[in-house]
């Protein structure tokens, strides 16, 4: 949101967490821009402002919930797509024809998530990188769960000479 505002866009930003909005306001001030920050669930706070030329989202998409060791901002439900499913209709409705939707996604959610997002949006991979399953980022229980999901075909996990990795992508 800050970068869009720096480029001159009229910018709205939403979050369900008031603390995140306080941080966003401080970052906007530090960067000399003004943001219209709104508290609320997914697209609800800005439905009346639509349609948009560009929507940028970073929704929780890791399979699991906070009780399984994931931070709330990463917990995407059992398959990693709970909030994406909920937001999909709004994202389509709130985008202008030929509008753009940019998002970040790990290879952890169920593969059907990308198929679902592709319903109404032309997917284009913008960038990707390997995220190593090192002990410092994911504990042993989560690593084992990610391995099982990959074996079951419910997510993607790869391995090379340096070890196991997820694919983190911007679309």
């Amino acid at each position: 949101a800050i970068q869009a505002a720096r480029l001159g866009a009229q910018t709205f930003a939403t979050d369900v967490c008031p603390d995140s909005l306080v941080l966003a306001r401080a970052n906007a001030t530090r960067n000399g821009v003004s943001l219209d920050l709104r508290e609320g669930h997914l697209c609800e706070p800005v439905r009346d402002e639509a349609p948009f030329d560009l929507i940028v989202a970073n929704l929780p998409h890791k399979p699991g919930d906070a009780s399984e060791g994931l931070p709330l901002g990463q917990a995407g439900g059992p398959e990693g797509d709970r909030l994406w499913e909920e937001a999909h209709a709004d994202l389509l409705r709130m985008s202008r024809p030929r509008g753009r939707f940019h998002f970040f996604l790990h290879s952890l959610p169920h593969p059907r998530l990308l198929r679902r997002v592709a319903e109404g949006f032309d997917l284009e991979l913008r960038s990707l990188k390997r995220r190593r399953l090192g002990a410092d980022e994911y504990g042993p229980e989560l690593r084992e769960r990610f391995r099982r999901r990959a074996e079951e075909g419910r997510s993607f996990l790869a391995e090379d000479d340096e070890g196991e990795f997820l694919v983190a992508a911007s679309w």
Side-chain angles (χ1 to χ4, degrees), residues 55-129:
I55 298 173
V56 179
N58 186 16
L59 297 177
H61 59 267
K62 291 183 181 171
D65 60 39
S67 69
E68 296 171 294
L70 288 175
L72 188 57
Q74 297 177 14
E79 296 296 334
D81 60 358
R82 182 184 62 225
L83 289 173
W84 287 88
E85 283 295 323
E86 193 176 332
H88 188 259
D90 272 346
L91 293 169
L92 286 171
R93 185 174 43 257
M94 294 173 67
S95 294
R96 280 193 204 286
R98 307 300 302 156
R100 292 179 177 235
F101 169 46
H102 291 267
F103 61 97
F104 172 82
L105 194 64
H106 273 289
S107 53
L108 286 170
H110 198 289
R112 72 170 173 247
L113 176 55
L114 274 181
R115 286 193 302 272
R116 179 76 167 131
V117 173
E119 294 172 11
F121 294 100
D122 296 326
L123 289 182
E124 178 183 339
L125 182 64
R126 306 297 291 177
S127 68
L128 63 91
K129 70 177 184 173

Side-chain angles (χ1 to χ4, degrees), residues 42-62:
L42 298 174
C43 302
E44 183 274 325
V46 293
R47 281 192 184 120
D48 294 339
E49 306 297 338
F52 296 106
D53 295 313
L54 172 65
I55 298 173
V56 179
N58 186 16
L59 297 177
H61 59 267
K62 291 183 181 171

Side-chain angles (χ1 to χ4, degrees), residues 142-158:
L142 280 177
R143 284 196 308 271
E144 189 53 39
R145 201 166 114 225
F146 296 162
R147 288 181 188 118
R148 279 195 311 275
R149 288 181 57 78
E151 289 169 3
E152 296 167 355
R154 296 171 47 215
S155 63
F156 176 77
L157 183 64

